[in-house]
Amino acid sequence: MKTALIGLCLAMSCAPLVAQEIQLGPASAPHKGHVELLSDAVEVKAGEPQVVVLRFRVDDGFHINSHTPKDELLIPTALQLNAASGIKVVGEQYPNGSTFRLPLDSGETLDVYQGEFRVSVRLVVPKGSSTLTGLLKYQACDNAVCYPPKTLPVTVAVTGD
Amino acid sequence: MVRRLVIVVLLIAGVTLVVMAGTHNLRHRQVVMQKAQQSDVQLTPASAGTDPSEDPAAKLLLGNAAPSFTLVDLNGKKVSLADYKGHAVVLNFWATYCGPCKLEMPWFQDLQNKYKDKGLVVLGLDQDDGMAVKEVAAASKRVGVTYPILMPDDKISKSYQLGDYIPETFYVDKTGKIVEQTIGAHSKDELEADVQKAIASGGM
């Protein structure tokens, strides 16, 4: 009886593994510039420096240079925020890039952002509603080709409490 | 005896459950795949789906005469495609910010050296927007190429129907016909095969 129970348990424990669905997932449609802004609204304490994290996403299969690419000829990703609507921009902090090697290249590696990346921005915002605006400058490539440098408009609704 | 029978029944029940779950899962995946195909959802990585080199419509000039041009090199000297009549010519469109371009360019330099005696000419056509000649010269020096680098004008990308991407390369034979057109970086062997094609084509 014990053996039977063990056998049954083993068989049953395998079932969920086999039955587990392969998630095909929603195919993310490539964006015209290959990068999108994920953040659209933030709430922070008004009147004193606060860190706001802006989330961006690079389309699957593409990469953009990090803020500090290894080669000076490469165009770094940079966020330019406007000091408007009473918002004071104190500074930005960029994430580290990840190492990427072109399939044909056996030597040099690149320092890039792929998938989601987050830029931390230090702001002083006024009380109430305001809008943070600016531009993300970047240059995208895939495994074989590169696209001209582009700018992505950044618009985020900010609520100062 | 009864005990053994119970064991066998339980084992059969377990195995049946596993098989049923697997079958259900398979059917479900098939339905999802079918739906995805019907709605034309890309299941492959975006790079494969959007790779311009996979787009046959991108090779619009293949088999046609290479559009004529006159551009200025890094020394300010005018260079025309017509100057190289009777030569196999590689026209490689590149930019200083393009990693794949800089990967290919030293290979083009090697091929230029190797096939110089067979009349091969490599021209690098810069596609940077508004970059100073000095900076382009510094970049090409860093990449290690000595073949002529030509600065862009406002007509060349239109006449060669370039896409919104680089590198793009045209292999022109001795008669001025485009015998190969490639998009994106390729291996050195592939570049050499295309160079040989341009040299062999057009007779002499």
Side-chain angles (χ1 to χ4, degrees), chain B residues 128-139:
Chain B
D128 285 287
D129 189 14
M131 185 165 274
V133 175
K134 208 171 110 183
E135 289 176 87
V136 177

Side-chain angles (χ1 to χ4, degrees), chain A residues 1 4 8 11-12 18-22 24 27 60-62 71-74 104-105 139 144-148 150, chain B residues 3 7 10 14 17-18 21-22 25 28-29 32 41-42 46-47 50 97 100 102-103 142 164-167 184-186:
Chain A
M1 192 63 188
L8 182 62
M12 296 296 278
V18 179
Q20 194 175 27
E21 289 180 12
I22 291 175
L24 296 168
D60 292 343
F62 295 85
D71 186 336
E72 64 183 34
L73 292 174
L74 300 177
L104 285 174
D105 198 349
Q139 189 268 309
V145 299
C146 287
Y147 301 84
K150 288 194 166 44
Chain B
R3 197 177 142 194
I7 292 170
L10 284 172
L17 270 171
V18 171
N25 185 27
H28 181 72
R29 280 168 55 199
V32 174
V41 171
Q42 287 290 344
S47 58
T50 57
Y97 57 78
K102 286 181 276 185
L103 187 63
R142 267 194 61 185
D164 186 24
Y165 40 74
I166 43 170
H186 291 73

Side-chain angles (χ1 to χ4, degrees), chain A residues 79-137:
Chain A
L79 186 61
Q80 253 181 18
L81 294 173
N82 303 324
S85 309
I87 297 174
K88 189 180 167 196
V89 181
V90 181
E92 297 107 23
Q93 193 178 358
Y94 295 86
N96 292 329
S98 56
T99 300
F100 178 82
R101 194 192 301 272
L102 290 167
L104 285 174
D105 198 349
S106 56
E108 203 181 337
T109 57
L110 304 170
D111 195 58
V112 303
Y113 297 144
Q114 290 176 295
E116 186 177 324
F117 69 96
R118 299 170 181 208
V119 181
S120 299
V121 186
R122 206 164 166 80
L123 304 172
V124 182
V125 308
K127 240 186 163 44
S129 299
S130 51
T131 306
L132 177 66
T133 59
L135 294 170
L136 181 79
K137 296 185 171 186

Side-chain angles (χ1 to χ4, degrees), chain B residues 174-194:
Chain B
K174 300 178 190 85
T175 67
K177 189 173 86 174
I178 295 170
V179 293
E180 191 52 80
Q181 180 180 349
T182 61
I183 293 163
H186 291 73
S187 70
K188 192 174 180 182
D189 288 346
E190 287 170 310
L191 301 188
E192 184 158 16
D194 291 337

